[in-house]
Structures are given as structure tokens and as C-alpha cells.
Amino acid sequence: MLKVTVSFLSALTVFLGVGRFFEAPKPKFVNPPELTITQFAGPDLTPSPACLAVAATGEVFVGVDMIGSLGKDPGKGRIMKLIDSDNDGKIDKHTEFAMVDNPRGIIASGDKVYVLHTTFSKETGKATGMDLVVFEDKNNDGVADGPEKPLIQNFSNTKYLQERGTDHATNGIRMGIDGWIYVGVGDFGFHNAVDRSGKKMTMLGGGIVRVRPDGTGMEVYTHGTRNVYDVAIDPFMNIFTRENTNDGGGWNIRFSHSIQTGEYGYPLLFQHFTDEIIPALVDVGGGSGTGSLYFDEPNWPAKYTKVPMMADWGRSMLYIHRVTPDGPTFTQKDEEFIKLPQITDLDVDGSGRLYLSAWDGAGYNGSPSKGYVVRVVPNDWKYTAFPELAKLSEKELGDLLKSPSAVARLNASQELLRRPAAQAAAIALAIATNKGLTLESRVAGVYTYAQTAGINGIATLTALVKDADLREFALRAIADRKEFASKVSIAPFLAGLNDANPRVHAAAIIGLGRLGNAAAIPALLKTKVPASFVTPAKGVAEGPHATPNSPIILPHLAVRALLALNATDACVAAIGTPNSTLGLWALRYMHNQKAVNGLIAAYKRTANPKLKKDILTTVSRLFREEAPYDASWWWGTRPDSPGPYYKADLWAGSPTIEAFLKGEWKKANAGGKEYLTYLNIRHRMAIAEFGGEEEKPVASNEPKIDLEKIKNKKGQVGKASIEDVMLAISKLEGDPVKGRALFTQQGCISCHTLDRSEKPKGPFMGQIGSIMTREQIAESILKPSASISQGFATNVITAKGDKTYMGFVTSESADRLVMRDITGTVFTVKTSDIISRKEMETSMMPVGMANALSYQEMASLVTFLSQQKK
């Protein structure tokens, strides 16, 4: 079997226009020597593969997406089923399983295939939303038996699907051992998504949503992320994501432990309100996170198992994040694993075959001639057939539930759910209570029992709380279904608040919030707030949004639970007591008149200066609230992110707060007035008397650069074809020192910065070398419109007063757009003045900016940029 150290289809020849080809340098791969990588499918079968899933028995389902992230024309997507009948690593049979547009996630489970995809109107050809659906193939002929059955509809923002495509839409799906389907939601969010029970839900921004496989029980799991493309779920229901922050700030990637009910802060809290969020475990710099998988298969080298594997499209790399327990969360250490051109997704079957999909330069709109799938196995791998689950007895399924393979455990669990409930429950419970088994198997037993026994299993699950090894998971399982809450005692959860294991403590807090019993509120209020609960200092550009802070997790979760329990009265009563800090933290989000009146009353009766200041801060935070989300707007790729609100509205309690604050203003000394001015800005109150209007963007003082003059010069580059330039610079090393000087000389500084301390302009170049090759950098200079960076499309805006503006948006708030034109001029447009707004398909960067350069100079500029990896 061939061990591959180069890309299969990353084009030995790359087309660069005018019907000519050139031989491109073969990319260097980081492929572990213990593994064998072989081509499985090419663009003839799987062009533009956006996602994939593998059945436990080895059938590979690939989501072909020739619309891409920015395309808008339907009829170009499908799910391909690929079969390797003799298990030699080559496709023996393929079928077109189903036609769907923009497939963004797939799960293969038994005879069901779950798919997340964009829907289009047959009449207008326009996107109508995104749906999570299920197909069935009961006769196993490789083709879906009939039309899809929707589980969740309206699962994204239709307006922006139509205007932009799926670039910030709802993405990957994966099933946990608890039987829920977990969905990564991009920051388009959604409005009035509806599940099969008729439940409707709206979410502003991104996060994780989960739903039962029958399409019921839809609920938000976490909130406050930007573009979660997929989730990795370990055997203990820890969820890991690789999502990112603002365009223009480097598209930085954050690796996070996603804890149920947690708030992760994008884009309103992650800069200036980081005390209120669960921080990411690390910011790894630029990239673009895509598919994710928690890998736990026994026939692989031990160092590659029991790890989250996270794909990064921008870096063309599959990463391993080695996580180490840290209280209720983790710390991590990331490392490069397998390099693959623009990797999009990954999944593994029951025999240990790992499949990866590569976009491989298919562009933002997809391509019929780019993209492929590879298979990865250990060098000494031998095929072992995964059993046909439907033919196994319940006892045999129980044995499979004990397997060291995560794929085997999940599929055995799902098959047991199809068997007689009493028998399946007994088998699962026997596994859960068997202390001789691995914890992974026992936890699989707990969750399988919870699903098969349903409401009748609550008493037994409550008894399992006595087992210290199972306590965390039993508590989670008891509170997992809110419809059973009235039958659940909170006693084991209250006991869990005092457990020495912080993971048990976290599960108890989350469970109490879900159960809805107000009797838990006093105990929750006693949760200690650590010294790390610190507001970022005034003037700090960005707080520690990606620095692990294990001590903050429990109080953060307690606040979320208090909100779920509507604990206004208790939080007000806690002001001035030992529980005051947590109570005031929770009150920041309680927009009701009781909270306002209680805060003002507490302020008046205390003489403690620090407490007065804390109450004043909380009251001012409540002056405005986030406007209801109706999906008619989106904050864009470069949102205004000072927080705490994006569209800040007045509400019924605002007049009371305003009267109180103005009264304090009149009585305040200079220091007091200064603090109220600070709060006026920080909380976007916009009370004119307090002054402190937000800083307005000012035009750059940089010298203007004559771009027309630069591009009209004709050196070697300007006189040669693009192909000849690319061939020439591929053979030249280039001088990075000279390249730095050329970066200024050729006008690059007009729209790009190299240092994070500089005010953002256009695409950040300070880490371009970590996400693009020399060839890609060169092509982007020579063909600027070939692949426009998301967030930097040229906008043409017409506004009142017969005004027209052209440039890219550097910041966008509910009230204004800040734009920058090609000369570097900065200007502001009120959103209320905008008549029309259109994104151009061509880059604002002119063609010909390198025309005056020699081949050696061009190579130097490219080399300099390729070394920018901050």
C-alpha cells in the first residue's frame, strides 16, 4: 500500500487563465509516518466536498456543494454514497443518494441519513432557509427511499442566505452518546426555527443547538460563538469547537470547551466584558475551522486516540488538541497532524478507517473540477467487519456497547433504542452498574438506559448518583429531558453543589437550572465568585477571551441557572450579603421592573461606597436591552463589538432608571460624574447629559499613495503573462527585507496592516503566511478578484443627499457603517441614511499593483508576506 506524502489532486497543474497550465510545486505535507493515506474519491465523483459522514459499516456519504459558501444558484448539490465492497481502499460502487443544495452536515445512522442543507424556492430560485432533515434507505439500494422529512425548518437567516450565501449560516451536525443531534450555528442565527413538535425558537448570533433525532426538543445548548462549523463530542459528552473571531482582526481561531448553557461572548462581550463569558481554551491565530471529530478508536496508535481532531480549511491542516482536565473544564495543547488542501470534514467508521475531504481550491462558489476524499489508516491496519446491527441480539448489542470503540458504542446504543424498551433498558443498566468496565462503556450504559427507560427510569438514575464514578453523568441524564422535570427531586442536585468533584458541581448547577424548581435558588446563590472575575480595565482593547479560567466556570453556570429560574427577588435580596457579587452579576441581565426597583432601593439604603458603585453599574447596564431579533438584519463580518448590546433599545424600565441616574448626576462630585460618563459610554445608554459620546472614526493621516501611477508602470511582471510570472517566482527565493520595503512602496499599506497594534484596515497581513502558500499569495496579488477575502468585498452604498460611497466596511453597528476606500480615506455613513447597499464581485484592489516589479522583486514581496505568521 502506498504511503502518500503529497497531495493527490492538489493539481500537479494549476490553471491560471488563457488556456495555459504550469507545473506547481508540490505542497509539503505533515503526515505521521505510522499512517497510510490513499486517494479514495476524486472530483469526478466528489467535487467541492463540503462535508462527509461514514456509516459504522464503512459506507461514505459525501456532501457535494458546487454552490459553495458564497454562491446562490440552486441545483448544484447532492449526497454521494461511496462503497468499498472488498475493503481494499478503492470505490467499487457509488450512487447519488439524494439531491440537496449546500449540504453542510451529515450523520449516517442505521438506515437513516440526517442532512443539514439550504432550501430553495422552485418558483424563484432563491434560498428560503436551511433545514435539518432525515432521509431513509430501508431497502439499502444506496438511494433515499423518498423525499426528505424535515426535523427543524427555518434554521438560518433567509435574508442573508439570499444576499450572501451560507458563509455564516448553520453548519455541521453530530450525534452524542446521549442521543441528541448537536448542530453548529453560525452567527447568522435564526428566527422562528420550528421543530416537529411545533416549538419555535429564535437565536441572535451563533452557538450550538441540539434536537432529538425525531425532531423534537429543540433547544439552545451554548451561545456566543461566530462560525462553529462542526462539533467534536467525547464519550463523556464534553463538546469541543474550533470557531473564530472577527474578519479584519486576523480571522483568529479559538478552540473552546462548549459547556451547556455557557455564554461565549461573540461579538458583544468577548472584547470588553470578558468577565461575563466562558473564555476559549486558546487563540491559535489565523485560520478557518471546519469539520471536527473526537477520535476514540482502539486499532490506531495510542497517541492518536482519545483526542479532538479539528480541521482548519484556512491552514489546510487537521489538528489534534490534547486536552487535560482542569476543574470543570480543560487546558489544551494543539499540534499539527495531517496536512490536506483546504480540508473540510472528517469521520471514521467502525473498523477504524478515517476519511477526510479536501476542498482543494474549489473557491468560494465551488468547482466541478476540484475536491477529493482520502482514506487514512494505520500502516498495520487490517479490516475487521463491523457487524450488521439489525441481525444482532440484544445481548450482542450489549456486548458491543462495552467496546473500546466510540463508533461501536454509539451505534450499538442507537440500535438498542429500536429494540423492546424493557429488555434494552435492563441490558444498558447492567453495563452502567458494572464497575469492572471502562468508564466510557458505563457512561454509554447510563445514557442508553436513560433513553430507553424514559420517565420510568428517573428513580433508578437517581440511585446511580450514589456511585461517585457515575454521579456527574447520572445527574446530567436525570435533567436531560425538561418534560420530565416535574417528576425529579432536586435533592441529589443540591447535594452535588457540595461535591468535591467540580465536574459534578457543574452538572448539578446546570441540572438545577433545567429543572425549574425555585427552591434551588438560595443554594445556587452561594456559589463562590473567584478573584478572576475582573472587568477589563478601561481602555483595554480586548480582554482575555481565550485564556483558560477554570474558577469562573461554576459561578458563570450559576448565573445562567438563576436566570433560567427567574430569580429576580432572591438576587435583589442578596445585595449587600455575602452572595452580593453573584446576585448583582445575574441582575445585569434581568430586564424587569422588580430588578430595577430593587436595585435602586438597595442603592439608597447602603452607605458602602463600593457597593453603591457596583449597584450603579448594574442599574446602568439595565437602561437598555437588546432589540428583539427578527432576522431582517445581521451585524456583518466586521461587527461593531464594544458591547454589551448591538441594537440597544429602551424598554419599560428605562424611564425609571433614567430618572434615578439623572438624580445621582446632579448630586455627584467630579469623580462621580466622570464614572457616570464612563458608564454612559460602556453601556451605550446615550443619555445626552452625561456626555462621553463614543469616539468617532477619524480619517487616516497616512500619506496618500497614487495607486494609478503604480499600476501603470510596466516592469517584468507587467509585461509578462500571469503564468510566466508564477513560473518565474516559483524558482526564486526572494529577499524578505526587500519585500518589506516593497510592501510600502507598492501601496500595500494603504489597505493592509502587519501588526495587531495598528488600527485594522483591509485584510490583516500579519499572519497571511500561516494560512496561504507562496503560490496562493502570489495569485491573490496578480488576480485580486479571483478569491476575495470574506469581509472585504467592495460595497457600493447610495445614501440620502444624493451621496455614493465605495469601499469595504471596517466596522458595522446598528446605527452606522465605517468604511475605507482604496486611497485609505475613512468615512462614516448613518444606517438610517442608506438607500441601497450592494456587494461588488470584483475586488477593490486594482489589478496591476505589481506591474512595475521585476520577477526578483515580486518573489521578494511574496517571500516577505509568506513569512508573516504572527
Side-chain angles (χ1 to χ4, degrees), residues 246 266-272 635-647 684 694-695 697 809-818:
N246 283 345
Y266 179 84
L268 304 174
L269 304 176
F270 85 100
Q271 288 186 341
H272 305 304
W635 44 51
T637 55
R638 305 184 74 180
D640 191 41
S641 52
Y645 309 112
Y646 186 76
K647 295 189 76 169
R684 296 192 160 185
E694 292 182 62
E695 180 183 353
V809 177
T810 61
S811 178
E812 186 166 352
S813 73
D815 305 314
R816 70 186 188 204
L817 265 67
V818 181

Side-chain angles (χ1 to χ4, degrees), residues 530-786:
S532 57
F533 179 64
V534 178
T535 301
K538 182 179 179 181
V540 172
E542 192 168 293
H545 66 87
T547 302
N549 185 5
S550 178
I552 206 67
I553 302 297
L554 297 179
H556 179 100
L557 298 176
V559 167
R560 309 320 295 180
L562 290 168
L563 293 173
L565 294 170
N566 299 311
T568 299
D569 290 339
C571 289
V572 167
I575 298 172
T577 74
N579 305 324
S580 184
T581 301
L582 192 76
L584 285 170
W585 182 356
L587 282 164
R588 296 179 187 186
Y589 320 111
M590 295 180 177
H591 286 84
N592 63 69
Q593 197 66 49
K594 273 188 178 182
V596 172
N597 294 342
L599 283 161
I600 292 173
Y603 180 89
K604 291 178 178 178
R605 67 173 174 259
T606 185
N608 184 319
K610 182 183 182 305
L611 183 56
K612 276 186 171 292
K613 193 172 186 179
D614 290 343
I615 295 172
L616 202 64
T617 301
T618 308
V619 172
S620 69
R621 176 68 172 269
L622 293 175
F623 180 65
R624 291 183 182 270
E625 67 177 358
E626 192 67 59
Y629 186 53
D630 62 3
S632 65
W633 57 273
W634 174 57
W635 44 51
T637 55
R638 305 184 74 180
D640 191 41
S641 52
Y645 309 112
Y646 186 76
K647 295 189 76 169
D649 265 4
L650 299 175
W651 62 286
S654 298
T656 303
I657 296 172
E658 184 172 12
F660 165 69
L661 293 177
K662 285 182 176 178
E664 292 307 302
W665 174 267
K666 291 178 180 177
K667 296 184 286 186
N669 58 22
K673 283 184 166 61
E674 182 181 356
Y675 190 68
L676 281 167
T677 298
Y678 161 72
L679 293 176
N680 197 37
I681 299 169
R682 179 172 172 78
H683 294 155
R684 296 192 160 185
M685 293 191 289
I687 297 176
E689 289 91 328
F690 297 175
E693 191 174 355
E694 292 182 62
E695 180 183 353
K696 299 291 185 186
V698 295
S700 171
N701 292 323
E702 300 165 8
K704 295 295 184 287
I705 296 169
D706 191 338
L707 302 181
E708 286 296 318
K709 183 177 180 181
I710 290 172
K711 74 177 186 178
N712 287 329
K713 290 182 179 179
K714 292 289 189 280
Q716 275 183 300
V717 170
K719 294 175 182 178
S721 69
I722 291 176
E723 301 96 313
D724 288 340
V725 175
M726 295 290 286
L727 277 170
I729 66 170
S730 70
K731 300 171 183 176
L732 296 171
E733 184 174 342
D735 178 359
V737 176
K738 177 65 174 174
R740 176 179 282 277
L742 288 166
F743 185 80
T744 299
Q745 176 185 310
Q746 296 305 114
C748 305
I749 61 168
S750 177
C751 289
H752 303 287
T753 55
L754 294 167
D755 195 291
R756 294 196 187 283
S757 63
E758 299 177 82
K759 195 172 183 66
K761 302 177 187 176
F764 178 62
M765 293 290 112
Q767 59 192 19
I768 191 66
S770 67
I771 56 178
M772 292 179 74
T773 65
R774 286 182 89 250
E775 292 73 31
Q776 290 170 327
I777 292 170
E779 186 178 7
S780 69
I781 294 171
L782 297 169
K783 298 171 65 179
S785 293

Side-chain angles (χ1 to χ4, degrees), residues 388-397 412 414-425 452:
E388 292 186 49
L389 298 181
K391 296 181 179 180
L392 298 185
S393 68
E394 284 77 16
K395 181 182 181 303
E396 289 170 319
L397 288 170
Q414 287 297 302
E415 182 62 29
L416 277 169
L417 298 181
R418 302 182 186 104
R419 302 303 175 89
Q423 192 173 353
T452 54

